[in-house]
Amino acid sequence: MTVKGEVGDLGATLMHEHVFGLSPEILWNWPDIPEGWDLEVRAREAAAKLDAVKAAGIDTIVDLTVVGLGRYVPAVQRVAELTEVNIVVATGLYTYDALPPYFGNRGPGSLFGGADRLAEFFVRDLTEGIGRTGVRAAMLKCASDHLGMTRGCERVFRAVAEAHVATGAPITTHSAQPGGLEQQRVLAKAGVDLTKVVIGHAGDSTDLAYLEELIANGSFLGMDRFGIETISSFDDRCAVVAALCERGHAGRLVLSHDSYCFNDRFDPDVVRRRHPNYHLLHIPTDVLPELRRRGVTEEQIHQMLVDNPRRILGWTSTSPRTGTSPRRTTS
């Protein structure tokens, strides 16, 4: 399921990206901020970036912008109208700590009590559509970070688990290392099939023992922050992927950048200076040639970019192999 409906094949897929990251209350109240928001202008800019990545051999992105990151699906629908790239969207809630007041003041253990509606909303997004758009989400997302599994985070993880059990939808996480193991424990205890889970940002770690423990527990690893080199360098990120492929784990890795076509939460000039490779073309242009140089095979690249996303998003092992890896490029 994509923004434009069901597709026959996803092709080469980046599993952790974002189209728009928005701050609605800022945009409502100070519309003249330098970043600005004009839906049509920003949609055309985003579509041009996606067209460029399509020309480089990428067919699909999974947009993991959920509530807490400024999800606005009507804007993503407009982008989808302007590009041939498939866009898959997600549901869930993004917080490292406390829940937004709408949820924090309701539900078990809250000031006013009552039912916890998180899972209900997630299931609705997956089965009926997001808002009034008719666009159905295809993944669930939850997050924990340096604060660990806070009370608020755990409520989201449990609600995501409940929605997963009800619908079979796959889950992806935002993690800080080595927090992926705690995420797995909470999800497994809540009845989640860990083979349907991607531990996001696992590629920030260079600890192969930790990463192989996550794999042994059944999950996929998101090697999905290529271009953010202040956390882990380009060399380290490539070395970890190459080492895991050499150890036979290509069937459990997916690649991405965690980049945005437009994000009002960061100064774009500062981002470009500090993270010059933080964009959608970095993997096909720079990362794949380096992985090949380090001995990663074409079959393994196909696994990470085509086969594994198919498996995560519901394809069976007997689905037709019609996708192609991005064209070979040289650095």
Side-chain angles (χ1 to χ4, degrees), residues 8-323:
D9 195 5
L10 296 173
T13 302
L14 300 177
M15 284 293 295
H16 193 132
E17 304 294 350
H18 302 272
V19 179
F20 297 127
L22 304 175
S23 306
E25 288 192 283
I26 304 300
L27 297 173
W28 292 340
N29 291 285
W30 296 292
D32 57 342
I33 59 173
E35 294 81 5
W37 173 254
D38 180 298
L39 191 154
E40 187 63 20
V41 170
R42 296 303 182 187
R44 291 187 177 278
E45 290 174 351
K49 292 177 180 180
L50 293 176
D51 287 346
V53 81
K54 176 73 172 181
I58 300 296
D59 304 296
T60 301
I61 66 163
V62 179
D63 180 354
L64 292 178
T65 311
V66 295
V67 172
L69 289 171
R71 183 181 69 176
Y72 185 49
V73 172
V76 181
Q77 284 182 292
R78 180 57 182 144
V79 176
E81 292 172 354
L82 297 169
T83 183
E84 293 182 7
V85 173
N86 303 311
I87 305 172
V88 176
V89 296
T91 186
L93 193 146
Y94 186 88
T95 179
Y96 295 166
D97 190 358
L99 291 170
Y102 181 92
F103 296 107
N105 291 331
R106 309 166 190 241
S110 69
L111 179 62
F112 297 101
D116 189 344
R117 303 194 67 189
L118 282 168
E120 172 195 339
F121 287 175
F122 299 161
V123 170
R124 182 189 304 174
D125 286 357
L126 291 161
T127 59
E128 300 177 21
I130 298 168
R132 296 180 175 86
T133 65
V135 174
R136 286 192 282 129
M139 284 202 84
L140 289 149
K141 182 180 180 182
C142 44
S144 65
D145 202 86
H146 62 286
L147 296 175
M149 191 63 65
T150 66
R151 184 176 176 182
C153 289
E154 187 166 357
R155 261 187 68 185
V156 178
F157 271 73
R158 291 187 180 282
V160 161
E162 184 177 339
H164 161 81
V165 171
T167 65
I171 298 168
T172 192
T173 75
H174 165 107
S175 71
Q177 314 317 314
L181 293 171
E182 184 178 31
Q183 293 181 343
Q184 286 182 320
R185 285 192 292 271
V186 171
L187 291 172
K189 187 176 179 180
V192 170
D193 175 358
L194 291 183
T195 67
K196 302 290 183 65
V197 175
V198 181
I199 301 299
H201 311 328
D204 290 352
S205 175
T206 57
D207 184 344
L208 294 180
Y210 162 68
L211 297 174
E212 288 193 308
E213 186 172 356
L214 293 174
I215 291 172
N217 290 337
S219 297
F220 289 85
L221 304 186
M223 318 308 282
D224 53 24
R225 274 182 164 173
F226 278 101
I228 305 180
E229 296 173 14
T230 52
I231 298 174
S232 184
S233 70
F234 175 79
D235 285 344
D236 282 347
R237 291 186 187 278
C238 290
V240 168
V241 171
L244 290 172
C245 287
E246 185 178 9
R247 296 184 182 202
H249 300 307
R252 284 285 155 183
L253 310 180
V254 292
L255 306 178
S256 217
H257 308 90
D258 191 19
S259 68
Y260 289 79
C261 294
F262 172 77
N263 184 0
D264 68 16
R265 297 176 176 218
F266 301 101
D267 183 317
D269 292 331
V270 172
V271 171
R272 278 191 289 270
R273 287 198 306 272
R274 295 186 180 179
H275 305 281
N277 293 320
Y278 182 49
H279 55 77
L280 287 168
L281 289 171
H282 183 44
I283 285 174
T285 302
D286 306 312
V287 174
L288 296 185
E290 178 62 17
L291 292 180
R292 291 176 178 119
R293 190 186 71 79
R294 292 173 181 261
V296 177
T297 68
E298 294 302 316
E299 181 179 1
Q300 289 170 326
I301 289 171
H302 195 280
Q303 281 183 290
M304 293 185 286
L305 283 174
V306 180
D307 293 339
N308 296 344
R310 284 174 174 169
R311 291 165 60 197
I312 294 164
L313 291 166
W315 282 67
T316 67
S317 60
T318 56
S319 297
R321 241 180 112 100
T322 57

